[in-house]
Amino acid sequence: GLGLKNYLIGAMDGSALRLLLARKIPVFDMESGLTTADYGWGTKTFRQLGLRKCELIIRLLRAGADPILTDADALITRDPSPYIRRFLPEAQILVTSDHLSSTVNDDGLELPEKAYSAWNIGYFYLSHTTLPAMLHWQQMCAEHPTLWDQNLFKDVLKLGGLKFNDPTRPQLKRKRLFLGYNQTVAIGILPVATFCSGHTYFVQRMPQRRGVEPFSVHTTFQYSGAPGKTHRLREALLWHDEPAYYSPPNGVLVYVPMIMWQLVRPLGKMDVHAHFELVNGQLRQLRAAFLLAKRLKRVLVLPRLVCGLDRFWAPHNGTIPGSQNALPVDPCPADHVLDLEGLARDQNISALLREYSFLDNPRVPAQVRTSIRSVPPPRSLDESDLQPLRAFTSIAVLNLTSMPDLFSTLPPAQQKKEQEVMRLWTSMWCCSTPLTKKSAGHIHYDMFFDMIPHIDKQRREWDRPWEPVMGP
């Protein structure tokens, strides 16, 4: 643990309140009456939550508190207090950013003139002296309930313009602080390499490459709702599950994936067709592994995926504009390729799979990690070929040295049945520039891309070789 004692958690519903109280965790009732399910980014409920957040902040500031506020999906990985104090007493707001590249070469704040991306109030520090500005923000949120509280936060602080250099207060520029809200509030942008977004941590892996420990990890820039956020944290060994998670009763299945590295950045270029050929080759193996794990009643440990292109919500050339990401994306987060949110909605995902880093987790008992047997894969999914693998029931980790196309060994009727089950398991890649203003730029992955004929997740019939098609 971090050894922190100066924290307080807001429980958004009665169930959460009771659970936290039972664990003797400092908590207060923040009952919203909105929903106990995923709020869903951009929904009406999501925006109403912003109003509750405003109310909480105003109460804290009126009480004279100088809080560091975090969303539930912004993980605190190191005590930020010593870092925050470096910029006091001048700093009144220190906020994280969705900027995707570092603007400095040290561990100080970002250069405000260059870190122009959206501020992210999923993690930020506030001085109680910002109360007038925050009251204005609360008023704007109440008057514009359909607008995002995060955008309104920045709009309010930009009133009167942002002043990056005040010659009467040179200490602000030395600390990379700037003035907002009619030049009455000193603001700083926290470094993106250590106060991480979901992209700088999970995709670009900035702190890992620099050999530094981040202060926070916000699970943004991911594509599978709450299940995707949890899976990202599990991949990074930042999520603690109950002990039973680390010891599946019938063991796990792992395999050595075959990656077509020759497709990665051929001649210095990675295009959409090469990206899908790269990922499709991995999907073919993953499809077989899911089928085999089910028949052996084992939980599949996902392989470490490799993606030729990054993923975003808007057109790009393989890397998100402004990011410092190098291709390929390795490891590629599972939610880039799999619809984890859909899987979790339809079944118990913990009974189906584990993250690729599962066996690297120190919480996995030694008796699991050391009970491993490496064997060649079966020739088919026929019971006669599976029988030798069933002899290893006492082995916790069954490691296959490769994963052939076992799906194609099924009889046609069984193939059709499995397609109905697994068709929706994949996600999409986004995005190429749409052909027209009203058309889509994304392309759906297809778990059965190599089967002719087949029906894809959009109920389109393929009677020809598969190729990337944008939409719907």
Side-chain angles (χ1 to χ4, degrees), residues 153-183:
F153 178 86
K154 189 172 185 179
D155 290 345
V156 166
L157 292 172
K158 287 174 66 177
L159 291 174
L162 300 177
K163 190 170 186 178
F164 298 124
N165 187 13
D166 183 352
T168 67
R169 302 177 67 183
Q171 70 275 22
L172 296 185
K173 189 168 182 66
R174 283 197 299 270
K175 292 186 175 182
R176 298 175 190 152
L177 298 170
F178 57 98
L179 293 173
Y181 196 60
N182 299 312
Q183 300 179 30

PDB file of all heavy atoms in Angstrom, residues 153-183:
ATOM      1  N   PHE A 153     -15.303  23.665 -17.197  1.00  0.00           N
ATOM      2  CA  PHE A 153     -14.235  23.981 -16.248  1.00  0.00           C
ATOM      3  C   PHE A 153     -13.160  24.825 -16.932  1.00  0.00           C
ATOM      4  O   PHE A 153     -12.753  25.894 -16.435  1.00  0.00           O
ATOM      5  CB  PHE A 153     -13.651  22.676 -15.707  1.00  0.00           C
ATOM      6  CG  PHE A 153     -12.508  22.826 -14.750  1.00  0.00           C
ATOM      7  CD1 PHE A 153     -12.747  23.023 -13.401  1.00  0.00           C
ATOM      8  CD2 PHE A 153     -11.192  22.743 -15.184  1.00  0.00           C
ATOM      9  CE1 PHE A 153     -11.689  23.140 -12.497  1.00  0.00           C
ATOM     10  CE2 PHE A 153     -10.133  22.862 -14.302  1.00  0.00           C
ATOM     11  CZ  PHE A 153     -10.387  23.062 -12.953  1.00  0.00           C
ATOM     12  N   LYS A 154     -12.707  24.378 -18.082  1.00  0.00           N
ATOM     13  CA  LYS A 154     -11.670  25.122 -18.795  1.00  0.00           C
ATOM     14  C   LYS A 154     -12.211  26.431 -19.354  1.00  0.00           C
ATOM     15  O   LYS A 154     -11.519  27.457 -19.332  1.00  0.00           O
ATOM     16  CB  LYS A 154     -11.077  24.258 -19.915  1.00  0.00           C
ATOM     17  CG  LYS A 154      -9.833  24.878 -20.565  1.00  0.00           C
ATOM     18  CD  LYS A 154      -9.166  23.911 -21.526  1.00  0.00           C
ATOM     19  CE  LYS A 154      -7.873  24.495 -22.075  1.00  0.00           C
ATOM     20  NZ  LYS A 154      -7.181  23.552 -22.993  1.00  0.00           N
ATOM     21  N   ASP A 155     -13.455  26.407 -19.844  1.00  0.00           N
ATOM     22  CA  ASP A 155     -14.051  27.638 -20.383  1.00  0.00           C
ATOM     23  C   ASP A 155     -14.092  28.738 -19.328  1.00  0.00           C
ATOM     24  O   ASP A 155     -13.797  29.912 -19.621  1.00  0.00           O
ATOM     25  CB  ASP A 155     -15.464  27.366 -20.902  1.00  0.00           C
ATOM     26  CG  ASP A 155     -15.476  26.523 -22.171  1.00  0.00           C
ATOM     27  OD1 ASP A 155     -14.412  26.384 -22.800  1.00  0.00           O
ATOM     28  OD2 ASP A 155     -16.553  25.987 -22.498  1.00  0.00           O
ATOM     29  N   VAL A 156     -14.477  28.373 -18.110  1.00  0.00           N
ATOM     30  CA  VAL A 156     -14.548  29.366 -17.033  1.00  0.00           C
ATOM     31  C   VAL A 156     -13.163  29.913 -16.708  1.00  0.00           C
ATOM     32  O   VAL A 156     -12.971  31.133 -16.567  1.00  0.00           O
ATOM     33  CB  VAL A 156     -15.206  28.755 -15.778  1.00  0.00           C
ATOM     34  CG1 VAL A 156     -14.990  29.642 -14.552  1.00  0.00           C
ATOM     35  CG2 VAL A 156     -16.686  28.528 -16.016  1.00  0.00           C
ATOM     36  N   LEU A 157     -12.170  29.029 -16.622  1.00  0.00           N
ATOM     37  CA  LEU A 157     -10.832  29.487 -16.267  1.00  0.00           C
ATOM     38  C   LEU A 157     -10.161  30.266 -17.383  1.00  0.00           C
ATOM     39  O   LEU A 157      -9.214  31.028 -17.137  1.00  0.00           O
ATOM     40  CB  LEU A 157      -9.968  28.288 -15.862  1.00  0.00           C
ATOM     41  CG  LEU A 157     -10.392  27.627 -14.548  1.00  0.00           C
ATOM     42  CD1 LEU A 157      -9.624  26.344 -14.303  1.00  0.00           C
ATOM     43  CD2 LEU A 157     -10.188  28.577 -13.369  1.00  0.00           C
ATOM     44  N   LYS A 158     -10.663  30.139 -18.600  1.00  0.00           N
ATOM     45  CA  LYS A 158     -10.117  30.904 -19.723  1.00  0.00           C
ATOM     46  C   LYS A 158     -10.727  32.297 -19.837  1.00  0.00           C
ATOM     47  O   LYS A 158     -10.307  33.085 -20.684  1.00  0.00           O
ATOM     48  CB  LYS A 158     -10.347  30.135 -21.024  1.00  0.00           C
ATOM     49  CG  LYS A 158      -9.446  28.924 -21.194  1.00  0.00           C
ATOM     50  CD  LYS A 158      -9.812  28.103 -22.421  1.00  0.00           C
ATOM     51  CE  LYS A 158      -9.566  28.876 -23.697  1.00  0.00           C
ATOM     52  NZ  LYS A 158      -9.870  28.034 -24.887  1.00  0.00           N
ATOM     53  N   LEU A 159     -11.726  32.592 -18.999  1.00  0.00           N
ATOM     54  CA  LEU A 159     -12.343  33.917 -19.051  1.00  0.00           C
ATOM     55  C   LEU A 159     -11.287  34.994 -18.792  1.00  0.00           C
ATOM     56  O   LEU A 159     -10.512  34.910 -17.841  1.00  0.00           O
ATOM     57  CB  LEU A 159     -13.466  34.025 -18.018  1.00  0.00           C
ATOM     58  CG  LEU A 159     -14.723  33.187 -18.291  1.00  0.00           C
ATOM     59  CD1 LEU A 159     -15.687  33.268 -17.119  1.00  0.00           C
ATOM     60  CD2 LEU A 159     -15.400  33.647 -19.572  1.00  0.00           C
ATOM     61  N   GLY A 160     -11.262  35.981 -19.651  1.00  0.00           N
ATOM     62  CA  GLY A 160     -10.244  37.023 -19.549  1.00  0.00           C
ATOM     63  C   GLY A 160      -8.930  36.631 -20.187  1.00  0.00           C
ATOM     64  O   GLY A 160      -7.972  37.406 -20.159  1.00  0.00           O
ATOM     65  N   GLY A 161      -8.889  35.436 -20.776  1.00  0.00           N
ATOM     66  CA  GLY A 161      -7.675  34.950 -21.428  1.00  0.00           C
ATOM     67  C   GLY A 161      -6.717  34.294 -20.453  1.00  0.00           C
ATOM     68  O   GLY A 161      -6.771  34.519 -19.242  1.00  0.00           O
ATOM     69  N   LEU A 162      -5.841  33.439 -20.982  1.00  0.00           N
ATOM     70  CA  LEU A 162      -4.796  32.805 -20.192  1.00  0.00           C
ATOM     71  C   LEU A 162      -3.509  33.608 -20.368  1.00  0.00           C
ATOM     72  O   LEU A 162      -3.093  33.883 -21.494  1.00  0.00           O
ATOM     73  CB  LEU A 162      -4.581  31.354 -20.645  1.00  0.00           C
ATOM     74  CG  LEU A 162      -5.791  30.424 -20.523  1.00  0.00           C
ATOM     75  CD1 LEU A 162      -5.449  29.038 -21.068  1.00  0.00           C
ATOM     76  CD2 LEU A 162      -6.274  30.323 -19.080  1.00  0.00           C
ATOM     77  N   LYS A 163      -2.900  33.989 -19.285  1.00  0.00           N
ATOM     78  CA  LYS A 163      -1.684  34.803 -19.332  1.00  0.00           C
ATOM     79  C   LYS A 163      -0.495  33.940 -18.922  1.00  0.00           C
ATOM     80  O   LYS A 163      -0.387  33.501 -17.777  1.00  0.00           O
ATOM     81  CB  LYS A 163      -1.803  36.006 -18.400  1.00  0.00           C
ATOM     82  CG  LYS A 163      -0.682  37.025 -18.571  1.00  0.00           C
ATOM     83  CD  LYS A 163      -0.969  38.308 -17.803  1.00  0.00           C
ATOM     84  CE  LYS A 163       0.079  39.367 -18.087  1.00  0.00           C
ATOM     85  NZ  LYS A 163      -0.224  40.635 -17.373  1.00  0.00           N
ATOM     86  N   PHE A 164       0.401  33.694 -19.896  1.00  0.00           N
ATOM     87  CA  PHE A 164       1.512  32.789 -19.663  1.00  0.00           C
ATOM     88  C   PHE A 164       2.749  33.481 -19.084  1.00  0.00           C
ATOM     89  O   PHE A 164       3.681  32.797 -18.666  1.00  0.00           O
ATOM     90  CB  PHE A 164       1.879  32.067 -20.959  1.00  0.00           C
ATOM     91  CG  PHE A 164       0.758  31.218 -21.506  1.00  0.00           C
ATOM     92  CD1 PHE A 164       0.292  31.397 -22.800  1.00  0.00           C
ATOM     93  CD2 PHE A 164       0.163  30.246 -20.724  1.00  0.00           C
ATOM     94  CE1 PHE A 164      -0.745  30.618 -23.306  1.00  0.00           C
ATOM     95  CE2 PHE A 164      -0.869  29.457 -21.212  1.00  0.00           C
ATOM     96  CZ  PHE A 164      -1.330  29.648 -22.508  1.00  0.00           C
ATOM     97  N   ASN A 165       2.785  34.781 -19.102  1.00  0.00           N
ATOM     98  CA  ASN A 165       3.963  35.482 -18.607  1.00  0.00           C
ATOM     99  C   ASN A 165       3.535  36.797 -17.966  1.00  0.00           C
ATOM    100  O   ASN A 165       3.160  37.746 -18.657  1.00  0.00           O
ATOM    101  CB  ASN A 165       4.947  35.749 -19.747  1.00  0.00           C
ATOM    102  CG  ASN A 165       6.255  36.324 -19.255  1.00  0.00           C
ATOM    103  OD1 ASN A 165       6.525  36.308 -18.052  1.00  0.00           O
ATOM    104  ND2 ASN A 165       7.068  36.826 -20.166  1.00  0.00           N
ATOM    105  N   ASP A 166       3.583  36.837 -16.650  1.00  0.00           N
ATOM    106  CA  ASP A 166       3.272  38.053 -15.900  1.00  0.00           C
ATOM    107  C   ASP A 166       4.583  38.607 -15.354  1.00  0.00           C
ATOM    108  O   ASP A 166       5.155  38.042 -14.410  1.00  0.00           O
ATOM    109  CB  ASP A 166       2.297  37.741 -14.765  1.00  0.00           C
ATOM    110  CG  ASP A 166       1.875  38.987 -13.995  1.00  0.00           C
ATOM    111  OD1 ASP A 166       2.461  40.068 -14.251  1.00  0.00           O
ATOM    112  OD2 ASP A 166       0.987  38.892 -13.133  1.00  0.00           O
ATOM    113  N   PRO A 167       5.103  39.686 -15.942  1.00  0.00           N
ATOM    114  CA  PRO A 167       6.413  40.205 -15.500  1.00  0.00           C
ATOM    115  C   PRO A 167       6.437  40.619 -14.042  1.00  0.00           C
ATOM    116  O   PRO A 167       7.516  40.707 -13.443  1.00  0.00           O
ATOM    117  CB  PRO A 167       6.638  41.402 -16.431  1.00  0.00           C
ATOM    118  CG  PRO A 167       5.295  41.757 -16.962  1.00  0.00           C
ATOM    119  CD  PRO A 167       4.520  40.496 -17.017  1.00  0.00           C
ATOM    120  N   THR A 168       5.267  40.845 -13.446  1.00  0.00           N
ATOM    121  CA  THR A 168       5.237  41.242 -12.035  1.00  0.00           C
ATOM    122  C   THR A 168       5.321  40.033 -11.103  1.00  0.00           C
ATOM    123  O   THR A 168       5.496  40.200  -9.893  1.00  0.00           O
ATOM    124  CB  THR A 168       3.942  42.025 -11.729  1.00  0.00           C
ATOM    125  OG1 THR A 168       2.810  41.145 -11.839  1.00  0.00           O
ATOM    126  CG2 THR A 168       3.779  43.203 -12.682  1.00  0.00           C
ATOM    127  N   ARG A 169       5.193  38.815 -11.669  1.00  0.00           N
ATOM    128  CA  ARG A 169       5.257  37.606 -10.849  1.00  0.00           C
ATOM    129  C   ARG A 169       6.153  36.567 -11.532  1.00  0.00           C
ATOM    130  O   ARG A 169       5.711  35.538 -12.014  1.00  0.00           O
ATOM    131  CB  ARG A 169       3.855  37.046 -10.616  1.00  0.00           C
ATOM    132  CG  ARG A 169       2.896  38.026  -9.937  1.00  0.00           C
ATOM    133  CD  ARG A 169       1.499  37.439  -9.791  1.00  0.00           C
ATOM    134  NE  ARG A 169       1.493  36.319  -8.855  1.00  0.00           N
ATOM    135  CZ  ARG A 169       0.392  35.582  -8.589  1.00  0.00           C
ATOM    136  NH1 ARG A 169      -0.756  35.867  -9.193  1.00  0.00           N
ATOM    137  NH2 ARG A 169       0.453  34.582  -7.728  1.00  0.00           N
ATOM    138  N   PRO A 170       7.452  36.847 -11.603  1.00  0.00           N
ATOM    139  CA  PRO A 170       8.373  35.949 -12.330  1.00  0.00           C
ATOM    140  C   PRO A 170       8.425  34.545 -11.746  1.00  0.00           C
ATOM    141  O   PRO A 170       8.772  33.590 -12.447  1.00  0.00           O
ATOM    142  CB  PRO A 170       9.731  36.662 -12.197  1.00  0.00           C
ATOM    143  CG  PRO A 170       9.587  37.531 -10.978  1.00  0.00           C
ATOM    144  CD  PRO A 170       8.150  37.967 -10.974  1.00  0.00           C
ATOM    145  N   GLN A 171       8.053  34.388 -10.469  1.00  0.00           N
ATOM    146  CA  GLN A 171       8.101  33.059  -9.866  1.00  0.00           C
ATOM    147  C   GLN A 171       7.103  32.111 -10.521  1.00  0.00           C
ATOM    148  O   GLN A 171       7.286  30.890 -10.516  1.00  0.00           O
ATOM    149  CB  GLN A 171       7.848  33.141  -8.347  1.00  0.00           C
ATOM    150  CG  GLN A 171       6.425  33.495  -7.943  1.00  0.00           C
ATOM    151  CD  GLN A 171       6.164  35.000  -7.921  1.00  0.00           C
ATOM    152  OE1 GLN A 171       6.892  35.767  -8.577  1.00  0.00           O
ATOM    153  NE2 GLN A 171       5.163  35.427  -7.166  1.00  0.00           N
ATOM    154  N   LEU A 172       6.028  32.663 -11.095  1.00  0.00           N
ATOM    155  CA  LEU A 172       5.052  31.814 -11.791  1.00  0.00           C
ATOM    156  C   LEU A 172       5.679  31.170 -13.018  1.00  0.00           C
ATOM    157  O   LEU A 172       5.532  29.961 -13.249  1.00  0.00           O
ATOM    158  CB  LEU A 172       3.825  32.628 -12.190  1.00  0.00           C
ATOM    159  CG  LEU A 172       2.977  33.217 -11.056  1.00  0.00           C
ATOM    160  CD1 LEU A 172       1.730  33.888 -11.632  1.00  0.00           C
ATOM    161  CD2 LEU A 172       2.577  32.148 -10.048  1.00  0.00           C
ATOM    162  N   LYS A 173       6.359  31.951 -13.816  1.00  0.00           N
ATOM    163  CA  LYS A 173       6.957  31.406 -15.038  1.00  0.00           C
ATOM    164  C   LYS A 173       8.048  30.397 -14.705  1.00  0.00           C
ATOM    165  O   LYS A 173       8.195  29.386 -15.398  1.00  0.00           O
ATOM    166  CB  LYS A 173       7.516  32.526 -15.908  1.00  0.00           C
ATOM    167  CG  LYS A 173       7.957  32.044 -17.290  1.00  0.00           C
ATOM    168  CD  LYS A 173       8.232  33.182 -18.227  1.00  0.00           C
ATOM    169  CE  LYS A 173       8.623  32.671 -19.606  1.00  0.00           C
ATOM    170  NZ  LYS A 173       7.500  31.959 -20.262  1.00  0.00           N
ATOM    171  N   ARG A 174       8.815  30.662 -13.612  1.00  0.00           N
ATOM    172  CA  ARG A 174       9.861  29.712 -13.228  1.00  0.00           C
ATOM    173  C   ARG A 174       9.266  28.346 -12.898  1.00  0.00           C
ATOM    174  O   ARG A 174       9.883  27.311 -13.157  1.00  0.00           O
ATOM    175  CB  ARG A 174      10.644  30.251 -12.023  1.00  0.00           C
ATOM    176  CG  ARG A 174      11.644  31.349 -12.362  1.00  0.00           C
ATOM    177  CD  ARG A 174      12.648  31.533 -11.235  1.00  0.00           C
ATOM    178  NE  ARG A 174      12.030  31.927  -9.985  1.00  0.00           N
ATOM    179  CZ  ARG A 174      11.823  33.187  -9.616  1.00  0.00           C
ATOM    180  NH1 ARG A 174      12.186  34.178 -10.415  1.00  0.00           N
ATOM    181  NH2 ARG A 174      11.254  33.462  -8.449  1.00  0.00           N
ATOM    182  N   LYS A 175       8.073  28.362 -12.326  1.00  0.00           N
ATOM    183  CA  LYS A 175       7.407  27.098 -11.973  1.00  0.00           C
ATOM    184  C   LYS A 175       6.471  26.596 -13.069  1.00  0.00           C
ATOM    185  O   LYS A 175       5.784  25.586 -12.892  1.00  0.00           O
ATOM    186  CB  LYS A 175       6.627  27.277 -10.668  1.00  0.00           C
ATOM    187  CG  LYS A 175       7.512  27.482  -9.441  1.00  0.00           C
ATOM    188  CD  LYS A 175       6.701  27.501  -8.154  1.00  0.00           C
ATOM    189  CE  LYS A 175       7.597  27.580  -6.932  1.00  0.00           C
ATOM    190  NZ  LYS A 175       6.819  27.544  -5.662  1.00  0.00           N
ATOM    191  N   ARG A 176       6.440  27.310 -14.219  1.00  0.00           N
ATOM    192  CA  ARG A 176       5.561  26.971 -15.356  1.00  0.00           C
ATOM    193  C   ARG A 176       4.083  27.072 -14.989  1.00  0.00           C
ATOM    194  O   ARG A 176       3.258  26.285 -15.447  1.00  0.00           O
ATOM    195  CB  ARG A 176       5.893  25.583 -15.907  1.00  0.00           C
ATOM    196  CG  ARG A 176       7.313  25.498 -16.441  1.00  0.00           C
ATOM    197  CD  ARG A 176       7.676  24.092 -16.875  1.00  0.00           C
ATOM    198  NE  ARG A 176       9.092  23.994 -17.165  1.00  0.00           N
ATOM    199  CZ  ARG A 176       9.815  22.895 -17.045  1.00  0.00           C
ATOM    200  NH1 ARG A 176       9.244  21.774 -16.644  1.00  0.00           N
ATOM    201  NH2 ARG A 176      11.105  22.901 -17.317  1.00  0.00           N
ATOM    202  N   LEU A 177       3.780  28.034 -14.151  1.00  0.00           N
ATOM    203  CA  LEU A 177       2.393  28.354 -13.820  1.00  0.00           C
ATOM    204  C   LEU A 177       1.940  29.518 -14.687  1.00  0.00           C
ATOM    205  O   LEU A 177       2.750  30.317 -15.153  1.00  0.00           O
ATOM    206  CB  LEU A 177       2.274  28.730 -12.340  1.00  0.00           C
ATOM    207  CG  LEU A 177       2.663  27.641 -11.332  1.00  0.00           C
ATOM    208  CD1 LEU A 177       2.737  28.228  -9.926  1.00  0.00           C
ATOM    209  CD2 LEU A 177       1.661  26.491 -11.373  1.00  0.00           C
ATOM    210  N   PHE A 178       0.639  29.593 -14.918  1.00  0.00           N
ATOM    211  CA  PHE A 178       0.075  30.676 -15.715  1.00  0.00           C
ATOM    212  C   PHE A 178      -1.225  31.129 -15.064  1.00  0.00           C
ATOM    213  O   PHE A 178      -1.771  30.461 -14.178  1.00  0.00           O
ATOM    214  CB  PHE A 178      -0.153  30.227 -17.160  1.00  0.00           C
ATOM    215  CG  PHE A 178      -1.027  29.015 -17.308  1.00  0.00           C
ATOM    216  CD1 PHE A 178      -2.380  29.131 -17.606  1.00  0.00           C
ATOM    217  CD2 PHE A 178      -0.500  27.734 -17.151  1.00  0.00           C
ATOM    218  CE1 PHE A 178      -3.180  28.019 -17.743  1.00  0.00           C
ATOM    219  CE2 PHE A 178      -1.302  26.607 -17.286  1.00  0.00           C
ATOM    220  CZ  PHE A 178      -2.651  26.755 -17.572  1.00  0.00           C
ATOM    221  N   LEU A 179      -1.728  32.259 -15.506  1.00  0.00           N
ATOM    222  CA  LEU A 179      -2.893  32.867 -14.873  1.00  0.00           C
ATOM    223  C   LEU A 179      -4.147  32.683 -15.711  1.00  0.00           C
ATOM    224  O   LEU A 179      -4.108  32.781 -16.945  1.00  0.00           O
ATOM    225  CB  LEU A 179      -2.648  34.361 -14.643  1.00  0.00           C
ATOM    226  CG  LEU A 179      -1.556  34.711 -13.620  1.00  0.00           C
ATOM    227  CD1 LEU A 179      -1.291  36.211 -13.615  1.00  0.00           C
ATOM    228  CD2 LEU A 179      -1.939  34.231 -12.223  1.00  0.00           C
ATOM    229  N   GLY A 180      -5.245  32.404 -15.022  1.00  0.00           N
ATOM    230  CA  GLY A 180      -6.544  32.290 -15.673  1.00  0.00           C
ATOM    231  C   GLY A 180      -7.609  32.945 -14.835  1.00  0.00           C
ATOM    232  O   GLY A 180      -7.330  33.541 -13.784  1.00  0.00           O
ATOM    233  N   TYR A 181      -8.842  32.831 -15.274  1.00  0.00           N
ATOM    234  CA  TYR A 181     -10.007  33.419 -14.610  1.00  0.00           C
ATOM    235  C   TYR A 181      -9.750  34.896 -14.288  1.00  0.00           C
ATOM    236  O   TYR A 181      -9.640  35.306 -13.135  1.00  0.00           O
ATOM    237  CB  TYR A 181     -10.383  32.656 -13.346  1.00  0.00           C
ATOM    238  CG  TYR A 181     -11.784  32.991 -12.854  1.00  0.00           C
ATOM    239  CD1 TYR A 181     -12.895  32.750 -13.664  1.00  0.00           C
ATOM    240  CD2 TYR A 181     -11.989  33.560 -11.611  1.00  0.00           C
ATOM    241  CE1 TYR A 181     -14.177  33.065 -13.237  1.00  0.00           C
ATOM    242  CE2 TYR A 181     -13.273  33.872 -11.166  1.00  0.00           C
ATOM    243  CZ  TYR A 181     -14.364  33.629 -11.994  1.00  0.00           C
ATOM    244  OH  TYR A 181     -15.640  33.953 -11.573  1.00  0.00           O
ATOM    245  N   ASN A 182      -9.658  35.640 -15.367  1.00  0.00           N
ATOM    246  CA  ASN A 182      -9.409  37.086 -15.268  1.00  0.00           C
ATOM    247  C   ASN A 182      -8.114  37.369 -14.497  1.00  0.00           C
ATOM    248  O   ASN A 182      -8.018  38.346 -13.740  1.00  0.00           O
ATOM    249  CB  ASN A 182     -10.592  37.795 -14.606  1.00  0.00           C
ATOM    250  CG  ASN A 182     -11.878  37.627 -15.403  1.00  0.00           C
ATOM    251  OD1 ASN A 182     -11.888  37.829 -16.616  1.00  0.00           O
ATOM    252  ND2 ASN A 182     -12.949  37.228 -14.731  1.00  0.00           N
ATOM    253  N   GLN A 183      -7.134  36.481 -14.702  1.00  0.00           N
ATOM    254  CA  GLN A 183      -5.793  36.622 -14.122  1.00  0.00           C
ATOM    255  C   GLN A 183      -5.803  36.600 -12.595  1.00  0.00           C
ATOM    256  O   GLN A 183      -4.972  37.228 -11.935  1.00  0.00           O
ATOM    257  CB  GLN A 183      -5.110  37.897 -14.647  1.00  0.00           C
ATOM    258  CG  GLN A 183      -4.955  37.892 -16.158  1.00  0.00           C
ATOM    259  CD  GLN A 183      -4.319  39.146 -16.706  1.00  0.00           C
ATOM    260  OE1 GLN A 183      -3.511  39.781 -16.035  1.00  0.00           O
ATOM    261  NE2 GLN A 183      -4.683  39.516 -17.932  1.00  0.00           N
TER     262      GLN A 183
END
